[in-house]
Amino acid sequence: MSITRVAGLKLGHFTHAERPTGCTVVLCEAGAVAGVDVRGAAPGTRECDLLAPSNSVQQVHAILLSGGSAFGLDAASGVMRWLDERGHGLAVGAARVPIVPAAVLFDLWVGDGRIRPDAAAGYAACEAASSAEPQQGSVGAGCGATVGKLFGPEWAMKGGIGTASLTVQGVTVGAVVAVNAVGDVRDPATGRLLAGARSPQCGLRDTLAALQAGALPKALLAGANTTIGVVATDAVMSKVQMQRIATMAHDGLARTLQPVHTGFDGDVLFSLATGAAGKTLEPTVLGSLAAEVTAQAVLNAIRAATGLPGLPAHQDFP
């Protein structure tokens, strides 16, 4: 069950063949009401200001999630070109301007950092987009993602991208999240650590327990991490309501990532409402569901991730 169960959406990945990086696009070609909530202290974003409820643009046509740090924002230009060629965009006089907000994560230290998603990568992700169940794990924007870096990247594990959805009262809520956190990933239902900082003695260190015991984190670069994602629904919602949904969805990150929203992360969640279900849902209910599917998407990302040399994944541990 993925975000593509939300009527009116398609999802596509581009995974670079030359190093672990890529981008992921969520297409809403007919337009969708959108919001955003930026919680990390070092974000890399594009077109976020227009999503403020007080600003005039009412719909977007895609959301891009990308690796490559700020360089990866270039991939949004390829998404714009793909939409423009098909006549999708905001009507401005005789012109149509595709609206494509974007956010990036830092993966430049995994492989050759000179190789980043560009406009061609964004265009290719659009070409690959469909409403089918998407691949999860080490693909698209999650290809070079890592977690558990508070005590140094040498102890990190592989992150990834995951998706989940729920349907309640005829309304579907879904999420896709690229997990590249400085912190650990914990299953809130069981309390079990799934991935995070590894211990020199083998196994997982448990970052939160180590901090409580007085361990000091290694000096890290601000913004060298970041978890980014999209929560979406086919309910009929307003721009003000979708801003609140994006805020509530961050609870799903807080349940699964420890620590989260740090000075080393640029955590960003976008929200989309296609209205394709033709009905609404009370915003508090919808926001609660959004937090749940966000949490499940994080867990799915980690369970599906595959390791790299020196970067084991969850599935590499017994």
Side-chain angles (χ1 to χ4, degrees):
M1 302 291 283
S2 77
I3 194 172
T4 55
R5 297 295 180 97
V6 175
L9 295 186
K10 298 176 184 176
L11 185 145
H13 296 303
F14 169 81
T15 303
H16 216 295
E18 297 182 38
R19 88 161 180 95
T21 192
C23 60
T24 297
V25 65
V26 178
L27 289 176
C28 41
E29 296 143 281
V33 177
V36 67
D37 192 329
V38 180
R39 293 290 180 92
T45 60
R46 167 174 165 158
E47 299 277 42
C48 280
D49 285 349
L50 62 81
L51 299 178
S54 60
N55 291 338
S56 60
V57 172
Q58 294 301 304
Q59 292 190 325
V60 305
H61 305 93
I63 301 288
L64 178 80
L65 309 176
S66 183
S69 189
F71 296 105
L73 291 172
D74 187 37
S77 297
V79 178
M80 286 189 71
R81 180 162 63 88
W82 189 92
L83 289 163
D84 180 46
E85 290 174 355
R86 288 152 183 81
H88 302 300
L90 172 68
V92 184
R96 284 192 173 272
V97 181
I99 306 300
V100 184
V104 294
L105 56 80
F106 187 94
D107 59 7
L108 298 179
W109 70 282
V110 183
D112 185 350
R114 295 171 297 178
I115 300 170
R116 288 95 55 156
D118 56 12
Y123 192 97
C126 294
E127 289 282 272
S130 78
S131 57
E133 292 288 306
Q135 189 177 355
Q136 301 183 74
S138 300
V139 295
C143 188
T146 52
V147 298
K149 291 161 280 187
L150 200 65
F151 298 106
E154 63 271 25
W155 303 111
M157 287 180 63
K158 193 68 183 63
I161 193 165
T163 182
S165 67
L166 291 167
T167 300
V168 175
Q169 298 292 324
V171 168
T172 299
V173 183
V176 59
V177 182
V179 185
N180 188 54
V182 72
D184 296 345
V185 181
R186 190 183 298 272
D187 184 344
T190 64
R192 181 190 175 198
L193 277 177
L194 300 186
R198 291 173 290 132
S199 167
Q201 288 74 44
C202 192
L204 297 181
R205 182 170 183 174
D206 192 331
T207 293
L208 185 58
L211 293 176
Q212 291 173 341
L216 296 177
K218 187 169 182 177
L220 296 175
L221 295 176
N225 304 281
T226 300
T227 295
I228 52 179
V230 180
V231 293
T233 181
D234 50 17
V236 177
M237 306 294 288
S238 71
K239 197 174 178 185
V240 171
Q241 289 170 331
M242 291 314 294
Q243 180 69 34
R244 178 54 50 187
I245 299 309
T247 295
M248 293 181 70
H250 272 280
D251 288 354
L253 299 186
R255 293 171 194 166
T256 53
L257 303 178
Q258 297 175 339
V260 68
H261 305 143
T262 74
F264 304 118
D265 293 288
D267 303 329
V268 179
L269 288 180
F270 296 99
S271 59
L272 293 172
T274 67
K279 58 177 68 176
T280 189
L281 195 63
E282 207 285 323
T284 298
V285 175
L286 189 58
S288 299
L289 298 176
E292 179 59 25
V293 294
T294 297
Q296 291 304 314
V298 170
L299 301 181
N300 289 341
I302 297 305
R303 290 173 175 139
T306 53
L308 294 167
L311 281 171
H314 166 73
Q315 57 189 260
D316 297 322
F317 281 73

